[in-house]
Coordinates of all heavy atoms in Angstrom, one line a residue:
M1 N 33.7 -17.1 54.9 CA 33.0 -18.0 55.8 C 31.9 -18.7 54.9 O 31.1 -18.1 54.2 CB 32.3 -17.3 56.9 CG 31.5 -18.2 57.8 SD 32.6 -19.4 58.6 CE 33.2 -18.3 60.0
R2 N 32.0 -20.1 55.0 CA 30.9 -20.9 54.3 C 29.9 -21.4 55.3 O 30.1 -21.3 56.5 CB 31.6 -22.2 53.7 CG 32.5 -21.9 52.6 CD 32.9 -23.3 52.1 NE 33.6 -23.2 50.7 CZ 34.8 -23.4 50.5 NH1 35.6 -23.7 51.5 NH2 35.3 -23.4 49.3
N3 N 28.7 -21.6 54.8 CA 27.7 -22.2 55.5 C 27.6 -23.7 55.2 O 27.8 -24.1 54.0 CB 26.3 -21.5 55.2 CG 26.2 -20.2 56.1 OD1 27.2 -19.8 56.7 ND2 25.1 -19.6 56.1
C4 N 27.2 -24.5 56.2 CA 27.0 -25.9 56.0 C 25.9 -26.1 55.0 O 24.8 -25.5 55.1 CB 26.7 -26.5 57.3 SG 26.3 -28.3 57.2
S5 N 26.0 -27.0 54.0 CA 25.0 -27.3 53.0 C 23.8 -28.1 53.7 O 22.8 -28.2 53.0 CB 25.6 -28.1 51.9 OG 26.7 -27.5 51.3
V6 N 24.0 -28.6 54.8 CA 23.0 -29.4 55.4 C 22.2 -28.6 56.4 O 21.0 -28.5 56.3 CB 23.7 -30.7 56.0 CG1 22.6 -31.5 56.7 CG2 24.4 -31.5 55.0
C7 N 22.9 -28.1 57.4 CA 22.1 -27.4 58.5 C 22.2 -25.9 58.3 O 21.5 -25.2 59.1 CB 22.7 -27.9 59.8 SG 24.4 -27.2 60.2
D8 N 22.9 -25.4 57.4 CA 23.0 -24.0 57.1 C 23.8 -23.2 58.2 O 23.7 -22.0 58.2 CB 21.6 -23.4 56.8 CG 21.7 -22.2 55.9 OD1 22.7 -22.2 55.1 OD2 21.0 -21.2 56.1
G9 N 24.4 -23.9 59.1 CA 25.1 -23.2 60.1 C 26.5 -22.8 59.6 O 26.9 -23.4 58.5
P10 N 27.2 -22.0 60.3 CA 28.6 -21.6 59.8 C 29.5 -22.8 60.0 O 29.5 -23.6 60.9 CB 28.9 -20.5 60.8 CG 28.1 -20.7 62.0 CD 26.8 -21.3 61.5
V11 N 30.4 -23.0 58.9 CA 31.4 -24.0 58.9 C 32.7 -23.3 59.5 O 33.1 -22.4 59.0 CB 31.6 -24.6 57.5 CG1 32.8 -25.6 57.6 CG2 30.4 -25.2 57.0
Q12 N 33.2 -23.9 60.6 CA 34.3 -23.3 61.2 C 35.5 -24.2 60.9 O 35.9 -24.3 59.8 CB 34.0 -23.1 62.7 CG 32.9 -22.2 62.8 CD 32.4 -21.9 64.3 OE1 32.7 -22.7 65.2 NE2 31.6 -20.9 64.5
N13 N 36.1 -24.8 61.9 CA 37.3 -25.5 61.7 C 37.1 -26.8 61.0 O 38.1 -27.4 60.3 CB 38.1 -25.8 63.0 CG 38.5 -24.5 63.6 OD1 38.8 -23.5 63.0 ND2 38.6 -24.4 65.0
E14 N 35.8 -27.3 61.1 CA 35.7 -28.8 60.7 C 35.0 -28.9 59.3 O 34.1 -29.7 59.2 CB 34.9 -29.5 61.8 CG 35.1 -30.9 61.8 CD 34.2 -31.6 62.9 OE1 33.6 -30.9 63.6 OE2 34.3 -32.8 63.0
L15 N 35.4 -28.1 58.3 CA 34.9 -28.2 57.0 C 35.1 -29.6 56.5 O 36.2 -30.1 56.4 CB 35.5 -27.2 56.1 CG 35.0 -27.3 54.6 CD1 33.5 -27.1 54.6 CD2 35.7 -26.4 53.7
R16 N 34.0 -30.3 56.1 CA 34.0 -31.6 55.4 C 33.5 -31.4 54.0 O 32.3 -31.1 53.9 CB 33.3 -32.7 56.2 CG 33.9 -32.9 57.5 CD 32.9 -33.6 58.5 NE 33.6 -33.6 59.8 CZ 34.0 -34.8 60.3 NH1 33.9 -35.9 59.6 NH2 34.6 -34.8 61.5
Q17 N 34.3 -31.6 53.0 CA 33.7 -31.5 51.6 C 33.6 -32.9 51.1 O 34.5 -33.7 51.1 CB 34.7 -30.7 50.8 CG 34.7 -29.2 51.1 CD 35.3 -28.4 50.1 OE1 36.5 -28.6 49.7 NE2 34.7 -27.3 49.6
V18 N 32.4 -33.3 50.6 CA 32.1 -34.5 50.1 C 31.3 -34.4 48.8 O 30.6 -33.5 48.6 CB 31.4 -35.5 51.0 CG1 32.1 -35.8 52.2 CG2 30.0 -34.9 51.4
W19 N 31.5 -35.3 47.9 CA 30.7 -35.4 46.7 C 29.6 -36.4 46.8 O 29.8 -37.5 47.3 CB 31.5 -35.8 45.5 CG 32.5 -34.7 45.1 CD1 33.8 -34.6 45.6 CD2 32.4 -33.6 44.2 NE1 34.5 -33.5 45.0 CE2 33.5 -32.9 44.1 CE3 31.3 -33.2 43.5 CZ2 33.7 -31.7 43.4 CZ3 31.4 -32.0 42.6 CH2 32.6 -31.3 42.7
I20 N 28.4 -36.0 46.4 CA 27.3 -37.0 46.3 C 26.7 -36.8 44.9 O 26.8 -35.8 44.3 CB 26.2 -36.8 47.4 CG1 25.5 -35.5 47.3 CG2 26.8 -37.0 48.8 CD1 24.3 -35.3 48.1
S21 N 26.1 -38.0 44.5 CA 25.4 -37.9 43.2 C 23.9 -37.6 43.5 O 23.3 -38.3 44.2 CB 25.5 -39.2 42.5 OG 26.9 -39.5 42.2
G22 N 23.3 -36.7 42.7 CA 21.9 -36.3 42.9 C 21.2 -36.1 41.5 O 21.9 -35.8 40.6
L23 N 20.0 -36.2 41.6 CA 19.2 -36.1 40.3 C 18.8 -34.7 40.2 O 18.1 -34.0 41.0 CB 17.9 -37.0 40.5 CG 17.1 -37.2 39.2 CD1 18.0 -37.9 38.2 CD2 15.9 -38.1 39.5
V24 N 19.1 -34.1 39.0 CA 18.7 -32.8 38.6 C 17.9 -32.9 37.3 O 18.4 -33.2 36.3 CB 19.9 -31.8 38.5 CG1 19.4 -30.5 38.0 CG2 20.7 -31.7 39.7
G25 N 16.6 -32.7 37.4 CA 15.8 -33.0 36.2 C 15.9 -34.5 35.8 O 15.5 -35.4 36.6
T26 N 16.5 -34.8 34.6 CA 16.7 -36.1 34.3 C 18.1 -36.6 34.3 O 18.4 -37.7 33.9 CB 16.2 -36.4 32.8 OG1 16.9 -35.4 31.9 CG2 14.7 -36.1 32.7
D27 N 19.0 -35.8 34.7 CA 20.5 -36.1 34.8 C 20.9 -36.2 36.3 O 20.4 -35.6 37.2 CB 21.2 -34.9 34.3 CG 20.9 -34.6 32.8 OD1 20.8 -35.7 32.1 OD2 20.9 -33.5 32.3
V28 N 21.8 -37.2 36.4 CA 22.5 -37.4 37.7 C 23.8 -36.6 37.7 O 24.6 -36.8 36.9 CB 22.7 -38.9 38.0 CG1 23.5 -39.0 39.3 CG2 21.4 -39.6 38.0
L29 N 23.9 -35.7 38.6 CA 25.0 -34.8 38.7 C 25.8 -34.9 40.0 O 25.1 -35.1 41.1 CB 24.7 -33.4 38.4 CG 24.0 -33.1 37.1 CD1 23.5 -31.6 37.1 CD2 24.9 -33.4 35.9
P30 N 27.0 -34.7 40.1 CA 27.7 -34.7 41.3 C 27.5 -33.4 42.0 O 27.6 -32.3 41.3 CB 29.2 -35.0 41.0 CG 29.4 -34.4 39.6 CD 28.0 -34.6 38.9
F31 N 27.3 -33.4 43.3 CA 27.2 -32.2 44.1 C 28.4 -32.2 45.1 O 28.7 -33.2 45.8 CB 25.9 -32.1 44.8 CG 24.8 -31.9 44.0 CD1 23.9 -32.9 43.6 CD2 24.4 -30.6 43.5 CE1 22.9 -32.7 42.8 CE2 23.3 -30.4 42.8 CZ 22.6 -31.4 42.4
L32 N 29.1 -31.0 45.2 CA 30.1 -30.8 46.3 C 29.3 -30.2 47.4 O 28.6 -29.2 47.4 CB 31.1 -29.9 45.8 CG 32.2 -29.6 46.9 CD1 32.9 -31.0 47.2 CD2 33.3 -28.7 46.3
V33 N 29.3 -30.9 48.6 CA 28.6 -30.6 49.8 C 29.7 -30.1 50.8 O 30.7 -30.7 51.0 CB 27.9 -31.7 50.3 CG1 27.3 -31.4 51.7 CG2 26.7 -32.2 49.3
N34 N 29.4 -29.0 51.3 CA 30.2 -28.5 52.5 C 29.4 -28.8 53.8 O 28.3 -28.3 54.0 CB 30.3 -26.9 52.3 CG 31.2 -26.5 51.2 OD1 32.2 -27.1 50.9 ND2 30.6 -25.6 50.4
A35 N 30.0 -29.7 54.5 CA 29.3 -30.0 55.8 C 30.2 -29.6 57.0 O 31.4 -29.6 56.9 CB 29.0 -31.5 55.8
C36 N 29.5 -29.3 58.0 CA 30.1 -28.8 59.3 C 30.5 -29.8 60.2 O 31.4 -29.7 61.1 CB 29.3 -27.7 60.0 SG 27.9 -28.3 60.8
S37 N 30.0 -31.0 60.0 CA 30.3 -32.1 61.0 C 29.9 -33.5 60.4 O 29.3 -33.5 59.4 CB 29.4 -32.0 62.3 OG 28.1 -32.1 61.9
A38 N 30.5 -34.6 61.0 CA 30.1 -35.8 60.6 C 28.6 -36.1 60.6 O 28.1 -36.8 59.8 CB 30.8 -36.9 61.5
A39 N 28.0 -35.5 61.6 CA 26.5 -35.7 61.7 C 25.8 -35.1 60.4 O 24.9 -35.7 60.0 CB 26.0 -35.0 63.0
C40 N 26.2 -34.0 59.9 CA 25.6 -33.4 58.8 C 25.9 -34.3 57.5 O 25.1 -34.4 56.7 CB 26.1 -32.0 58.6 SG 25.2 -30.9 59.7
V41 N 27.2 -34.8 57.5 CA 27.5 -35.7 56.3 C 26.5 -37.0 56.4 O 26.0 -37.4 55.4 CB 28.9 -36.2 56.4 CG1 29.2 -37.3 55.4 CG2 29.9 -35.0 56.2
A42 N 26.2 -37.5 57.5 CA 25.4 -38.6 57.7 C 24.0 -38.3 57.4 O 23.2 -39.2 57.1 CB 25.5 -39.1 59.1
A43 N 23.6 -37.0 57.4 CA 22.3 -36.6 57.2 C 21.9 -36.3 55.7 O 20.9 -36.0 55.3 CB 21.9 -35.3 58.0
L44 N 23.0 -36.5 54.9 CA 22.7 -36.2 53.4 C 21.8 -37.2 52.9 O 21.7 -38.3 53.4 CB 24.1 -36.3 52.7 CG 25.1 -35.1 53.0 CD1 26.5 -35.5 52.5 CD2 24.6 -33.9 52.4
P45 N 21.1 -36.8 51.8 CA 20.1 -37.7 51.2 C 20.8 -38.9 50.6 O 22.0 -38.9 50.3 CB 19.4 -36.8 50.2 CG 20.3 -35.7 49.9 CD 21.1 -35.5 51.2
E46 N 20.0 -40.0 50.3 CA 20.5 -41.1 49.7 C 21.0 -40.8 48.3 O 20.4 -40.1 47.5 CB 19.4 -42.1 49.5 CG 18.9 -42.7 50.8 CD 19.8 -43.9 51.2 OE1 20.0 -44.9 50.4 OE2 20.4 -43.8 52.3
P47 N 22.3 -41.2 47.9 CA 22.8 -41.0 46.6 C 21.8 -41.7 45.6 O 21.1 -42.8 45.9 CB 24.1 -41.7 46.5 CG 24.5 -41.6 48.0 CD 23.3 -41.9 48.8
Y48 N 21.8 -41.2 44.3 CA 21.0 -41.8 43.3 C 21.3 -43.2 43.1 O 22.5 -43.6 43.1 CB 21.1 -41.0 42.1 CG 20.0 -41.2 41.0 CD1 18.8 -40.8 41.2 CD2 20.4 -42.0 39.9 CE1 17.7 -41.1 40.3 CE2 19.4 -42.3 38.9 CZ 18.1 -41.9 39.2 OH 17.2 -42.1 38.3
P49 N 20.3 -44.2 42.9 CA 20.6 -45.6 42.7 C 21.5 -45.8 41.6 O 21.4 -45.2 40.5 CB 19.2 -46.2 42.4 CG 18.3 -45.2 43.1 CD 18.9 -43.9 42.9
G50 N 22.5 -46.7 41.8 CA 23.4 -47.0 40.6 C 24.7 -46.1 40.8 O 25.7 -46.4 39.9
Y51 N 24.7 -45.3 41.6 CA 26.0 -44.4 41.8 C 26.6 -44.7 43.2 O 26.1 -45.5 43.9 CB 25.7 -42.9 41.7 CG 25.3 -42.5 40.3 CD1 24.1 -42.9 39.7 CD2 26.2 -42.0 39.4 CE1 23.8 -42.6 38.4 CE2 26.0 -41.7 38.1 CZ 24.8 -42.0 37.6 OH 24.5 -41.7 36.3
V52 N 27.8 -44.2 43.3 CA 28.4 -44.5 44.6 C 27.5 -44.1 45.8 O 26.9 -43.1 45.9 CB 29.7 -43.5 44.8 CG1 30.3 -43.6 46.2 CG2 30.7 -43.9 43.7
Q53 N 27.4 -45.2 46.7 CA 26.3 -45.1 47.7 C 26.7 -44.5 49.0 O 25.9 -44.5 49.9 CB 25.8 -46.5 47.8 CG 25.0 -47.1 46.7 CD 23.8 -46.3 46.3 OE1 22.9 -46.2 47.1 NE2 23.8 -45.6 45.2
T54 N 27.8 -43.9 49.0 CA 28.2 -43.2 50.2 C 28.9 -41.9 49.8 O 29.4 -41.8 48.7 CB 29.2 -44.0 51.0 OG1 30.3 -44.3 50.2 CG2 28.6 -45.3 51.6
P55 N 28.7 -40.9 50.6 CA 29.4 -39.6 50.3 C 30.9 -39.9 50.3 O 31.5 -40.7 51.0 CB 29.1 -38.7 51.5 CG 27.8 -39.2 52.1 CD 27.9 -40.8 51.8
H56 N 31.6 -39.3 49.3 CA 32.9 -39.5 49.2 C 33.7 -38.2 48.8 O 33.1 -37.2 48.6 CB 33.3 -40.5 48.1 CG 32.7 -40.1 46.7 ND1 33.4 -39.3 45.9 CD2 31.5 -40.4 46.1 CE1 32.7 -39.1 44.8 NE2 31.6 -39.7 44.9
T57 N 35.0 -38.3 48.9 CA 35.8 -37.1 48.7 C 36.3 -36.9 47.3 O 37.2 -36.1 47.1 CB 36.9 -37.0 49.8 OG1 37.6 -38.2 49.6 CG2 36.4 -36.9 51.2
G58 N 35.8 -37.8 46.4 CA 36.4 -37.6 45.1 C 37.8 -38.2 44.9 O 38.3 -38.9 45.7
G59 N 38.5 -37.9 43.7 CA 39.8 -38.4 43.5 C 39.7 -39.6 42.6 O 38.8 -40.2 42.4
P60 N 41.0 -40.0 42.2 CA 41.1 -41.1 41.2 C 40.7 -42.5 41.7 O 40.6 -43.4 40.9 CB 42.6 -41.0 40.9 CG 43.3 -40.4 42.1 CD 42.2 -39.4 42.6
D61 N 40.6 -42.7 43.0 CA 40.3 -44.0 43.5 C 38.9 -44.4 43.5 O 38.4 -45.4 43.7 CB 40.8 -44.1 45.0 CG 42.3 -44.0 45.1 OD1 43.0 -44.3 44.1 OD2 42.8 -43.7 46.2
I62 N 38.0 -43.3 43.2 CA 36.6 -43.6 43.2 C 36.3 -44.2 41.9 O 36.5 -43.7 40.8 CB 35.9 -42.2 43.3 CG1 36.1 -41.6 44.8 CG2 34.3 -42.4 43.2 CD1 35.7 -42.5 45.8
V63 N 35.5 -45.2 41.9 CA 35.0 -46.0 40.7 C 33.5 -46.0 40.9 O 32.9 -46.6 41.8 CB 35.6 -47.4 40.6 CG1 34.9 -48.1 39.4 CG2 37.1 -47.3 40.5
Q64 N 32.9 -45.3 39.9 CA 31.4 -45.4 39.9 C 31.0 -46.8 39.3 O 31.7 -47.4 38.4 CB 30.8 -44.4 38.9 CG 31.0 -43.0 39.4 CD 30.0 -42.6 40.4 OE1 29.1 -43.3 40.8 NE2 30.2 -41.3 40.9
P65 N 29.9 -47.4 39.8 CA 29.5 -48.7 39.3 C 29.1 -48.5 37.8 O 28.9 -47.4 37.3 CB 28.2 -48.9 40.1 CG 28.3 -48.1 41.3 CD 29.1 -47.0 40.9
A66 N 29.3 -49.6 37.1 CA 29.1 -49.6 35.6 C 27.6 -49.1 35.4 O 26.7 -49.5 36.1 CB 29.2 -51.0 35.1
P67 N 27.4 -48.4 34.3 CA 26.0 -47.9 34.0 C 25.1 -49.1 33.7 O 25.5 -50.1 33.2 CB 26.2 -47.1 32.7 CG 27.7 -46.8 32.6 CD 28.4 -47.9 33.4
R68 N 23.9 -49.0 34.1 CA 22.9 -50.0 34.0 C 22.6 -50.0 32.5 O 22.4 -49.0 31.8 CB 21.7 -49.7 34.9 CG 22.0 -49.8 36.3 CD 20.7 -49.7 37.1 NE 21.1 -49.7 38.5 CZ 20.1 -49.7 39.5 NH1 18.8 -49.5 39.1 NH2 20.4 -49.8 40.7
R69 N 22.3 -51.2 32.0 CA 21.8 -51.3 30.6 C 20.4 -50.7 30.6 O 19.5 -51.0 31.4 CB 21.7 -52.7 30.2 CG 23.1 -53.4 30.0 CD 23.0 -54.8 29.7 NE 24.2 -55.5 29.9 CZ 25.1 -55.6 28.8 NH1 24.7 -55.2 27.6 NH2 26.2 -56.2 28.9
A70 N 20.1 -50.1 29.5 CA 18.7 -49.6 29.3 C 17.8 -50.9 29.1 O 18.3 -51.8 28.6 CB 18.6 -48.7 28.0
T71 N 16.6 -50.8 29.6 CA 15.8 -51.9 29.6 C 15.5 -52.4 28.1 O 15.4 -53.7 27.9 CB 14.4 -51.5 30.2 OG1 14.6 -51.0 31.5 CG2 13.4 -52.8 30.2
S72 N 15.4 -51.5 27.2 CA 15.2 -51.8 25.8 C 16.3 -52.7 25.2 O 16.2 -53.5 24.3 CB 15.0 -50.6 25.0 OG 16.1 -49.8 25.0
A73 N 17.6 -52.6 25.8 CA 18.7 -53.3 25.2 C 18.6 -54.7 25.6 O 19.3 -55.6 25.1 CB 20.0 -52.7 25.8
L74 N 17.7 -55.1 26.6 CA 17.6 -56.5 26.9 C 16.6 -57.2 26.1 O 16.4 -58.5 26.2 CB 17.2 -56.6 28.5 CG 18.3 -56.0 29.3 CD1 17.7 -56.0 30.8 CD2 19.6 -56.7 29.3
V75 N 15.8 -56.5 25.3 CA 14.8 -57.1 24.5 C 15.4 -57.6 23.2 O 15.9 -56.8 22.4 CB 13.6 -56.1 24.2 CG1 12.6 -56.8 23.3 CG2 13.0 -55.7 25.5
L76 N 15.4 -58.9 22.9 CA 16.0 -59.4 21.7 C 15.0 -60.0 20.8 O 14.1 -60.5 21.2 CB 17.0 -60.5 22.1 CG 18.2 -60.1 23.0 CD1 19.1 -61.2 23.4 CD2 19.0 -59.0 22.2
Ligands
ZN101 ZN1 25.9 -28.8 59.4

């Protein structure tokens, strides 16, 4: 039995697994979230800027936005 990553309640028939990007220290890492309902998916925190902006289920169709150029690269 899993618990919901959002409300910590038991996940029963309606397990929803989604990936979100979150900041850990200085790195942005994907997190697999187990959510018990659409409401809990909707309650997830905002994904880190520059990454996929909605929770998603992963897979080959997901395209992350191009990495932002470092500010220093714009100084000529
Ligand atoms: Zn929940």
Side-chain angles (χ1 to χ4, degrees):
M1 178 64 81
R2 290 184 166 112
N3 280 11
C4 176
S5 303
V6 180
C7 71
D8 207 31
V11 175
Q12 296 175 346
N13 296 332
E14 204 181 357
L15 175 64
R16 292 158 189 257
Q17 289 191 308
V18 296
W19 291 93
I20 61 171
S21 299
L23 192 63
V24 178
T26 56
D27 296 321
V28 176
L29 300 175
F31 288 99
L32 181 61
V33 174
N34 297 312
C36 68
S37 67
C40 283
V41 172
L44 290 169
E46 291 278 304
Y48 192 72
Y51 288 77
V52 172
Q53 291 299 295
T54 56
H56 60 82
T57 53
D61 295 336
I62 296 298
V63 178
Q64 293 280 0
R68 294 184 182 181
R69 294 171 187 271
T71 304
S72 59
L74 299 175
V75 177
L76 298 174

